[in-house]
């Protein structure tokens, strides 16, 4: 028990676990674990074709700091892993690369025209001049009536008028000019111009301008340029205070009047400049207003490198040990996520906290290792963030068809999106495997090393999906050097369950054959054979039984009679009666199973004591990394049959598992002729059992036409690569729906003049320009259009790009985005 059950493996030939299921043990890893660097591994840039330039380098795990010649870290240097842990990862929409993500500032409106503001400014200055010269009739009648007509002979102020009348006249002119200025600012859109040039610093600019305006107004009133006080103070009866000898009370009343005048001047500026909103946070009296961050903060939230959750729960010793390991770069990113996951399981059970602390103190970075003993992949070809489970696949382009907020942001895939399944369509050579499938497989493999996922990658022979050292189990069908075989029956002991999956793989793509009848025919043979021999038949034996070999059926009957299996005898009798009827599926099944009964596969699908089968049922119990290599070049039909069997077994196993805490994902690098009606129904159920599938197709024509709509409706995420046909583009355009857009239409209409002079001018203009006189009629309306048209998907996608639509298991949606691949 020294390894806490987390290190060490068992073979696949062990006994059956309780419940009658086989294949529940952990297979041996594909090779010895590689040497692990002390810090987070560097990310190798993805390969790009010579004609496609690589995109700008995205933010990744920080590099190791410079050390001294003796190999010691400087005292002020910060751990790479600590910086990675504390990098900001704000909540964002589906598919947004969250590592060091900074939301894009709000879209700036187009630059306004200055013609209107300048014209209204000139008009205001002209009116000001005319009012100063008193050439605007009737403008001064109100002040003449208020001050008295005797001071205005012939509408001219008398030279011996009292100061109050003169000051009232000057104040009236200033108020009139100020009102005209507000009117000019309103119709000229001065505020819009000010907001545009202020930009993101609108609040600060508004505060500065309003405060300057208030200070200028106070100065003008104080220096008597604006005689406001000279008009208000004489109107207040303070003479009775001075006459009574109470000088101090008169002074107090004057000060109060000046304060009220100053308040009346400053209050409009404070209201317009929103001083309370801008100065409140500085004085600690309010919440700061929303601002767009210019740069990402150095740290968001608590310091994760100090393991605050453990300290809060009382596991201080374990937190101190892990903090020291992080600072010393003895933990990489996978170790941190693995230990955080282990702590999450121990936190909810108080009886496991002491064991967790003891294991961490004793093993350090080797605590709770993956069963393979590995702490990282041999090589990463994409940028990963194991803390969020994301893998960066590219960037959203600055294209008008992308939402403004998403342009330039990183695009990532994560289990929340893969849990709804992903359908990828693109012709060969567009980079589906190198730029999407392999990064997704790497991300799931890294998540498996943290104990949170299991991945099954199925593709052609070779290392296109990663080297053998990146997997725990590598099944190379048809390769004699393969350490594992493939279990055609999925590790089950139930004949009906095995027959259903096998029938789906053998005859699921045949529309004329009902897979239920095929499953019944197989079950009538598998049940009696297992009752006699204790195992299911191998491929040669099953082929003989399906072909109705008299010797095979006779020996099986004799064995059943001698063992007294009457129920199985009835099954065998029913099979023999149906074999002579019309429409018997056994002949078709025999032809299909014959593609697996080839010399290249001799002994590969064996079920005896010497067999080395790998069962997909191991995926429901362990965080395994499995790769199955199909012989696509030499045995294309056999590869398709095996791919359908794998998909059918995967759907059946994930739907029936009891513990669904482990995310399980199937990645089919080539799903040609693999999707069937039953598998589509199984894919639709994956999101509810914490599982998902990634299906890559060259074209939708590789799926039966009657299943196109059902398949696009079953998957939550779809991706289209350049080079698809308009027929495929039409299907995706229909699946992505439509949106409301604003359309501006300009129509030119001929101008017909009624007057002779106007007709002559029009004729002269036509002779000079060669065009008839027309006028433009502009119509702006809202119309509903497809997000992406079929022709746009077929002809407008540049090389190295793809259109990706995402849906999460929580129901969040991301509209189709144009992505430049290569994260």
């Amino acid at each position: 028990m020294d390894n806490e059950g987390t290190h060490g493996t068992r073979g696949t030939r062990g006994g059956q676990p309780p419940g009658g299921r086989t294949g529940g043990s952990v297979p041996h890893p594909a090779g010895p674990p590689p040497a692990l660097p002390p810090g987070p591994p560097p990310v190798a840039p993805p390969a790009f074709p010579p004609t496609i330039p690589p995109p700008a380098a995205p933010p990744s795990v920080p590099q190791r700091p410079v050390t001294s010649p003796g190999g010691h870290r400087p005292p002020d240097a910060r751990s790479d892993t600590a910086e990675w842990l504390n990098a900001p990862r704000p909540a964002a929409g589906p598919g947004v690369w969250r590592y060091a993500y900074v939301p894009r500032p709000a879209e700036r409106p187009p630059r306004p025209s200055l013609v209107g503001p300048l014209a209204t400014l000139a008009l205001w200055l002209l009116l000001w001049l005319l009012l100063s010269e008193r050439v605007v009739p009737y403008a001064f009648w109100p002040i003449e009536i208020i001050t008295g007509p005797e001071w205005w002979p012939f509408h001219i102020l008398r030279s011996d008028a009292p100061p109050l009348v003169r000051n009232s006249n000057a104040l009236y002119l200033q108020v009139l000019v100020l009102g005209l200025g507000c009117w000019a600012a309103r119709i000229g859109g001065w505020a819009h111009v000010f907001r545009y040039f202020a930009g993101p610093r609108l609040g600060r600019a508004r505060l500065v301008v309003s405060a300057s305006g208030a200070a200028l107004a106070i100065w003008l009133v104080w220096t008597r340029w604006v005689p406001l006080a000279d008009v208000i103070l004489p109107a207040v009866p303070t003479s009775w205070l001075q006459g009574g000898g109470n000088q101090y009370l008169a002074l107090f009343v004057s000060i109060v009047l000046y304060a009220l005048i100053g308040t009346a001047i400053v209050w409009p500026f404070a209201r317009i400049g929103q001083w309370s909103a801008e100065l409140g946070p500085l004085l600690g009296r309010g919440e700061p207003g929303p601002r767009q961050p210019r740069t990402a903060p150095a740290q968001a939230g608590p310091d994760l490198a100090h393991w605050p959750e453990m300290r809060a729960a009382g596991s201080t010793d374990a937190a101190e040990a892990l903090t020291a390991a992080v600072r010393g770069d003895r933990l990489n990113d996978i170790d941190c996520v693995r230990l955080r996951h282990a702590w999450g399981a121990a936190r909810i059970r108080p009886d496991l906290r002491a064991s967790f602390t003891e294991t961490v103190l004793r093993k350090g970075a080797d605590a709770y290792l993956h069963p393979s003993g590995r702490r990282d992949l041999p090589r990463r070809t994409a940028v990963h963030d194991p803390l969020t489970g994301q893998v960066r696949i590219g960037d959203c382009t600055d294209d008008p068809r992308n939402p403004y907020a998403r342009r330039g942001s990183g695009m990532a895939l994560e289990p929340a999106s893969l849990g709804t399944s992903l359908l990828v369509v693109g012709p060969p050579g567009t980079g589906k495997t190198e730029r999407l499938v392999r990064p997704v497989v790497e991300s799931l493999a890294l998540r498996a090393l943290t104990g949170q996922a299991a991945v099954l990658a199925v593709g052609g022979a070779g290392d296109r999906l990663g080297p053998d050292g990146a997997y725990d189990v590598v099944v190379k069908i048809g390769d004699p050097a393969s350490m594992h075989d493939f279990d055609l029956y999925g590790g089950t002991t139930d004949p009906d369950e095995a027959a259903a999956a096998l029938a789906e793989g053998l005859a699921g793509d045949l529309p004329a054959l009902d897979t239920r009848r095929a499953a019944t025919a197989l079950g009538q043979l598998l049940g009696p054979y297992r009752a006699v021999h204790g195992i299911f038949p191998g491929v040669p034996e099953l082929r003989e039984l399906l072909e109705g070999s008299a010797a095979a059926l006779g020996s099986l009957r004799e064995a059943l009679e001698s063992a007294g299996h009457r129920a199985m005898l009835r099954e065998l009798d029913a099979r023999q009666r149906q074999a002579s009827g019309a429409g018997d599926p056994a002949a078709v099944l025999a032809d299909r199973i014959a593609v697996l009964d080839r010399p290249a596969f001799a002994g590969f699908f064996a079920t005896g004591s010497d067999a080395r089968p790998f069962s997909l049922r191991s995926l429901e119990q362990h965080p395994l990394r499995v790769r199955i290599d199909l012989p696509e070049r030499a045995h294309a039909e056999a590869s398709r049959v095996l791919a359908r069997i794998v998909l059918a077994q995967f759907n059946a196993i994930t739907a029936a598992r009891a513990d669904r805490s482990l995310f399980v994902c199937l990645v089919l690098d080539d799903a040609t002729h693999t999707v069937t009606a039953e598998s589509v129904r199984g894919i639709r159920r994956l999101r509810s059992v914490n599982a998902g599938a990634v299906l890559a197709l060259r074209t939708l024509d590789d799926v039966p036409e009657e299943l196109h709509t059902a398949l696009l409706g079953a998957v939550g995420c779809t991706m289209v690569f350049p080079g698809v046909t308009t027929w495929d583009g039409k299907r995706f355009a229909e699946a992505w729906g439509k949106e409301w857009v604003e359309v501006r239409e300009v129509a030119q209409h001929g101008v017909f003049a009624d007057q002779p002079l106007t007709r002559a001018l029009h004729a002269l203009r036509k002779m000079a320009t060669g065009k008839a006189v027309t006028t433009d009629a502009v119509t702006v309306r809202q119309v509903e259009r497809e997000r992406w048209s079929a022709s746009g998907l077929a002809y407008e996608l540049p090389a190295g790009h793809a259109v990706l639509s995402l849906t999460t298991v929580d129901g969040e949606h991301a509209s189709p985005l144009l992505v430049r691949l290569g994260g």
Side-chain angles (χ1 to χ4, degrees):
M1 298 297 293
D2 181 66
N3 56 13
E4 304 295 337
T6 62
H7 191 58
T9 57
R10 302 188 302 274
T12 59
R13 305 183 191 178
Q16 300 177 2
R21 293 182 176 181
T22 63
S25 56
V26 182
H28 290 287
L36 180 72
V43 179
F48 293 91
T51 58
I52 305 174
S60 58
V61 178
Q63 299 296 325
R64 295 181 59 86
V66 180
T67 56
S68 61
H72 302 287
R73 180 184 299 276
D76 58 343
R78 184 173 177 85
S79 167
D80 296 342
T81 307
E83 292 183 359
W84 171 79
L85 275 173
N86 293 320
R89 295 173 176 86
V96 176
W97 174 252
R98 293 172 52 193
Y99 181 85
Y101 170 66
V102 178
R104 190 177 186 183
E107 184 176 6
R108 195 173 186 183
R111 181 173 180 175
S113 174
L114 299 180
V115 176
L118 292 178
T120 54
L121 176 61
L123 177 62
W124 177 49
L125 295 177
L126 177 61
L127 291 176
W128 190 348
L129 178 62
L130 295 177
L131 288 173
S132 301
E133 297 295 333
R134 305 182 65 88
V135 297
V136 180
Y138 312 111
F140 291 88
W141 276 22
I143 192 62
E144 293 178 10
I145 296 174
I146 294 174
T147 57
E150 64 274 9
W151 303 110
W152 300 89
F154 304 104
H155 302 288
I156 299 175
L157 184 63
R158 290 170 52 178
S159 59
D160 58 343
L164 182 59
V165 175
R166 294 180 179 276
N167 294 331
S168 300
N169 177 54
L171 184 61
Y172 174 78
L173 174 62
Q174 294 166 355
V175 171
L176 190 60
V177 170
L178 181 62
L180 290 174
C182 294
W183 171 77
R186 183 178 182 84
I187 66 173
W190 295 5
H192 177 62
V193 176
F194 175 78
R195 284 193 296 267
Y196 174 80
F197 286 102
R201 300 179 179 270
L202 176 61
R204 183 174 301 178
R206 186 166 46 199
L207 174 63
V208 172
V209 172
S210 60
S212 301
L216 177 61
I218 292 292
W219 179 80
L220 292 176
V221 172
W222 185 263
T223 57
R224 299 298 194 271
W225 285 95
V226 178
L228 180 61
D230 297 333
V231 174
I232 295 178
L233 291 178
V236 178
T238 58
S239 58
W240 61 274
L241 294 174
Q242 298 177 1
N246 196 342
Q247 301 294 332
Y248 295 103
L249 183 58
L251 178 62
F252 175 75
V253 172
S254 299
I255 294 175
V256 171
L257 290 176
Y258 275 107
L260 293 176
I261 293 173
T263 302
I265 294 173
V266 173
W267 182 81
F269 291 95
R271 183 70 178 270
I272 296 174
Q274 300 180 7
W275 291 6
S276 59
E278 296 297 328
L279 298 178
L282 300 178
L283 301 177
R285 297 179 181 177
E287 297 294 333
R291 296 181 181 274
Q292 296 293 341
R294 295 178 62 86
T295 58
Q299 177 176 337
D303 188 357
L304 299 182
H306 285 76
W307 307 87
E309 299 90 350
M310 295 184 189
R311 298 179 188 273
S315 301
T316 308
D317 295 339
E320 290 292 345
L322 293 178
T323 301
V326 169
R327 290 178 176 176
D329 270 347
R330 295 191 299 273
L331 292 180
N332 64 1
D333 50 356
I334 299 299
D335 296 331
C336 293
V337 177
R338 186 186 70 247
L339 292 172
R340 285 172 60 88
H341 176 67
W343 166 250
R347 179 180 55 185
I348 60 178
R349 296 184 56 183
D351 56 316
L352 295 180
R353 293 182 184 177
S355 174
F356 176 84
T357 302
E358 188 272 335
T359 303
V360 169
L361 293 178
R362 179 163 46 90
K363 293 188 174 182
D366 293 333
Y368 298 97
L369 274 180
H370 186 262
S372 65
R374 297 177 182 268
R375 296 171 57 190
D376 202 350
L377 298 179
R379 181 174 178 265
R380 302 186 190 182
T381 60
V383 180
H384 300 271
D385 185 17
L387 192 61
T388 58
Q390 290 186 319
V391 53
R392 183 167 182 144
I393 62 173
D395 303 282
C396 293
T397 62
D398 191 2
D399 189 271
R401 287 170 290 198
N402 287 341
Y404 176 82
R406 297 300 299 270
R407 298 174 192 173
S409 63
M411 178 58 66
L413 293 175
E414 56 188 335
S417 299
L418 297 177
T420 63
S421 298
L422 170 63
L423 176 65
V424 185
V425 177
T430 54
K432 298 191 302 295
T433 301
E434 292 79 6
R435 301 187 181 186
L436 179 71
V437 175
R438 181 164 180 174
V440 169
V441 172
E442 282 185 4
S443 176
L444 295 171
L446 291 174
R447 198 161 182 83
L449 292 178
T450 64
Q452 303 179 70
V455 56
L456 172 61
V458 181
D463 59 351
R464 294 192 304 169
L465 301 182
D468 294 354
Y471 296 91
D472 304 314
V473 176
V474 178
V475 181
K476 301 180 179 180
I477 299 179
D479 188 352
S482 177
M483 295 179 59
H484 300 278
D485 299 340
F486 179 69
D487 188 356
L488 291 178
Y489 304 102
T492 182
T493 59
D494 186 356
D496 293 332
E497 183 179 352
L502 190 58
E504 182 66 23
L506 293 177
D509 62 326
L510 300 177
L513 181 61
D514 188 0
T515 54
R516 291 175 295 181
R517 294 189 59 190
T520 301
L522 285 171
Q524 292 170 346
L525 296 174
L526 297 181
Y529 191 94
R530 181 172 178 80
V532 171
H533 300 282
I535 58 174
F536 288 119
V539 171
E541 293 82 4
L542 180 59
R543 179 182 179 183
E544 291 181 357
L545 293 174
L546 289 173
E547 290 177 345
S549 172
L553 293 175
S555 61
L556 181 59
R557 175 179 293 277
E558 293 177 1
L560 290 174
E561 292 175 349
S562 61
H565 294 291
R566 297 184 177 180
M568 294 303 170
L569 277 173
R570 289 196 300 271
E571 287 286 291
L572 189 59
D573 291 340
R575 172 88 291 276
Q576 290 181 333
R577 288 194 303 269
Q578 295 173 5
S580 58
D584 180 38
V588 178
L589 294 175
D591 293 339
R592 283 300 180 90
I593 200 69
V595 300
L596 302 180
D597 189 19
R598 306 299 302 163
F601 306 136
F604 217 88
F605 306 109
T607 58
S609 58
D610 296 335
R612 304 170 299 170
F614 167 74
S615 170
L616 298 189
R617 202 166 296 275
S618 301
L619 296 173
E620 69 178 357
Q621 304 173 14
H622 308 287
L624 292 179
R625 302 165 298 163
V626 182
R627 193 187 79 203
I628 299 179
D629 292 349
L630 301 178
E632 294 179 346
R633 296 181 179 179
H635 303 277
E637 186 62 28
S639 298
R640 296 170 184 174
V641 170
L642 292 172
R644 287 194 295 270
I645 293 176
V646 169
L647 181 57
Q649 291 184 5
F650 180 82
N651 288 336
I653 292 171
T654 53
R657 60 178 180 153
D659 184 9
R660 297 174 180 177
S661 60
L662 199 69
F663 178 72
V664 185
C665 188
L666 168 67
V667 181
L668 277 174
D669 186 39
D670 185 5
T672 302
H673 300 293
T674 302
V675 179
T676 63
E678 185 62 31
S679 63
V680 169
R681 286 189 285 267
I683 291 173
R684 187 180 291 111
R685 295 190 296 264
L686 290 179
R687 70 175 66 187
S688 62
V689 295
N690 196 22
V694 179
L695 308 178
L697 294 170
R698 296 183 179 92
T699 173
L700 281 179
D701 291 336
D702 293 335
V703 178
E705 185 177 358
E706 61 273 11
L707 295 179
H708 288 179
T709 303
L711 177 61
L712 291 174
V715 298
C717 306
T718 51
M719 194 169 187
V720 179
F721 279 72
V724 297
T725 63
T726 53
W727 292 272
D728 289 347
K730 180 181 178 181
R731 291 293 188 181
F732 284 101
E734 293 175 351
W736 290 338
K738 300 180 180 181
E739 62 180 349
W740 289 98
V741 297
E742 186 178 276
V743 177
R744 185 173 182 268
E745 298 178 351
V746 180
Q748 292 184 343
H749 301 283
V751 178
F752 300 96
D754 297 332
Q755 301 298 327
L757 179 61
T758 307
R759 287 199 297 267
L761 292 177
H762 287 184
L764 181 62
R765 179 177 175 181
K766 185 176 182 180
M767 291 176 59
T769 61
K771 298 180 181 179
V773 179
T774 60
T775 182
D776 293 342
V778 181
T779 304
V780 180
R781 56 193 179 96
Q782 296 284 337
V783 298
E784 196 176 18
R785 287 186 177 178
E786 295 175 334
R787 302 178 187 272
W788 277 85
S789 64
S791 59
L793 292 173
Y795 302 110
E796 297 180 11
L797 291 185
H801 292 66
V803 179
L804 173 61
S805 173
L806 292 177
T807 303
T808 65
V809 292
D810 297 331
E812 294 185 77
H813 294 269
S815 59
L817 302 171
L818 181 60
V819 181
R820 182 179 62 247
L821 299 175

